[in-house]
Amino acid sequence: MKKKVLAGIMTTAMIMAMMTGCGSSDTAKDTQASTGSETSADSSAADTAEDNYTIGISQFAEHGSLDNCREGFLEGLKSAGIEEGVNLTVEYQNSQADTGTASTIADNFVSKNVDLICAIATPSAMSAYNSCLDSEIPVVYTAVSDPVGAGLADEEGNSVGNITGTSDKLPVEEQLKMIRDLMPDAKKIGILYTTSEANSVSTIKEYKELAENYDFEIVDSGINTVADVEMAAKDLASKVDCISNLTDNTVVSALQTVIAAADEKNIPVFGSEIEQVKIGCLASMGIDYIALGKQTGEMAAKILKGESKAEEMPYEVCSGASLYVNTAVADKLNFELDQATVDGAAEVFDEITVE
């Protein structure tokens, strides 16, 4: 808000002088004498600027986990006293899984000089960071699995610029252990991912590093666009015992296509978070994206209030993973879920909910 406060106390002549580079102390004094420096109106404008905020939310794709991030983000701001419709104006844009559109959205927010950009998912975060390099607008991201790999943080987790946020790093080892417990005879896990998504590339690497500890082989298949999903999913499903889905935005956007391919081979798809289990994945050791978004909103509130600077805040990771299962999916696949697994789940769904 520093820029707005300064604008509130500067007179018109002073601003014009600064823009033209020819302002002098005499000009400023004359202008103050004619307009009345430090008037009550100026003070009121400054107070208003301090108490009201405009932010841009750039969401990369339209699916449940990212929607939950956005909902949680606004909840986090509200809990800190920054509420939409009260002292907060929100401009929301969705790039529909198109990186070019994500860049355009970020550039637009910069041109409007918003107080902060919230970027949801890795491609949107990278676009916002690049767009804001020559501005003072802070960026707060969420649902970025690997901020270091995406170039948004250094190896120690510190910011590389006026940017910070939260990571939805997948609990890969917990996921592998869950799959082994549910499928004791399985050998091959298939993973579909977008080659241009840095978070997916790094997660695939971790899967492969840990898989041998659970006697699994990872069979991965890379795609470029949503149009590639159907063929790649059918091919992958014919080669593996199950599919483990990431938070890959392009693949998640076409998750029903992946599930349909797996259904043809009567193999389960394991999700990476709760929303994927609701819509047709058998189970997941996943994180709560509303909680992740709320954590992000609380970070953003500190920046907006001037309590912290994005460049001084290391990114944060949502800790812990919970088990979610869908008994309706199990019934569809004739997959036996033992009662102990069902009883130990954080949440159990008995229907498949596809909007």
Side-chain angles (χ1 to χ4, degrees):
M1 297 306 296
K2 184 178 180 181
K3 297 190 292 299
K4 283 193 174 182
V5 172
L6 287 173
I9 62 175
M10 283 185 181
T11 61
T12 303
M14 290 173 66
I15 296 173
M16 293 178 63
M18 290 180 65
M19 292 175 64
T20 58
C22 60
S24 68
S25 58
D26 289 338
T27 302
K29 287 176 183 177
D30 292 341
T31 305
Q32 288 172 357
S34 63
T35 61
S37 177
E38 296 293 324
T39 65
S40 58
D42 290 330
S43 177
S44 176
D47 291 341
T48 300
E50 285 187 304
D51 295 336
N52 290 275
Y53 310 92
T54 298
I55 65 171
I57 297 181
S58 174
Q59 183 172 314
F60 185 63
E62 192 168 348
H63 58 73
S65 56
L66 300 189
D67 292 341
N68 284 348
C69 274
R70 187 177 76 252
E71 179 184 339
F73 177 76
L74 294 174
E75 286 183 12
L77 287 173
K78 184 177 179 180
S79 69
I82 301 175
E83 183 177 357
E84 186 176 9
V86 178
N87 58 350
L88 174 66
T89 299
V90 176
E91 296 199 17
Y92 166 66
Q93 296 288 327
N94 192 306
S95 62
Q96 302 299 329
D98 185 275
T99 54
T101 303
S103 295
T104 300
I105 290 170
D107 289 343
N108 183 48
F109 287 155
V110 171
S111 70
K112 292 183 177 181
N113 198 29
V114 297
D115 296 310
L116 178 143
I117 295 176
C118 171
I120 304 177
T122 302
S124 288
M126 295 171 72
S127 294
Y129 172 65
N130 289 331
S131 294
C132 290
L133 283 175
D134 295 325
S135 78
E136 296 181 16
I137 300 172
V139 177
V140 177
Y141 56 79
T142 187
V144 173
S145 299
D146 185 8
V148 176
L152 305 175
D154 63 22
E155 293 292 340
E156 286 71 44
N158 298 312
S159 171
V160 295
N162 198 18
I163 184 169
T164 188
T166 58
S167 169
D168 62 343
K169 184 180 184 303
L170 294 181
V172 173
E173 186 148 23
E174 289 90 338
Q175 182 87 342
L176 287 168
K177 184 178 186 303
M178 176 198 69
I179 297 173
R180 176 52 72 208
D181 289 343
L182 294 178
M183 302 185 71
D185 298 323
K187 292 296 182 182
K188 295 182 179 181
I189 299 175
I191 301 178
L192 193 65
Y193 74 104
T194 308
T195 56
S196 60
E197 287 203 28
N199 57 307
S200 297
V201 173
S202 61
T203 304
I204 289 281
K205 180 180 178 183
E206 185 176 4
Y207 259 100
K208 290 183 175 181
E209 289 173 348
L210 295 173
E212 62 182 23
N213 297 338
Y214 296 90
D215 197 25
F216 281 126
E217 176 188 347
I218 302 300
V219 181
D220 60 279
S221 179
I223 62 164
N224 296 311
T225 67
V226 172
D228 301 330
V229 172
E230 184 174 9
M231 183 178 294
K234 287 182 176 180
D235 180 64
L236 187 62
S238 68
K239 299 175 179 178
V240 298
D241 300 300
C242 65
I243 292 174
S244 187
N245 196 57
L246 309 181
T247 52
D248 186 292
N249 295 288
T250 303
V251 177
V252 172
S253 297
L255 184 54
Q256 290 305 315
T257 302
V258 177
I259 292 172
D263 284 349
E264 289 182 3
K265 297 298 181 180
N266 200 46
I267 63 172
V269 177
F270 294 99
S272 54
E273 48 85 31
I274 185 172
E275 296 298 327
Q276 295 176 18
V277 179
K278 287 181 182 179
I279 66 174
C281 290
L282 175 63
S284 170
M285 285 297 293
I287 64 176
D288 184 338
Y289 274 82
I290 288 182
L292 181 71
K294 186 173 182 180
Q295 182 177 345
T296 313
E298 291 168 351
M299 295 175 72
K302 292 179 181 178
I303 296 168
L304 288 170
K305 292 179 176 181
E307 297 171 1
S308 300
K309 294 182 179 179
E311 61 192 18
E312 298 171 351
M313 302 170 69
Y315 77 84
E316 299 179 5
V317 178
C318 187
S319 60
S322 299
L323 173 64
Y324 304 101
V325 299
N326 192 316
T327 55
V329 176
D331 291 342
K332 180 181 68 172
L333 297 173
N334 293 316
F335 191 101
E336 185 176 349
L337 285 172
D338 62 70
Q339 194 59 43
T341 297
V342 175
D343 292 343
E347 196 162 354
V348 178
F349 304 98
D350 58 7
E351 63 179 356
I352 301 170
T353 306
V354 181
E355 296 181 357

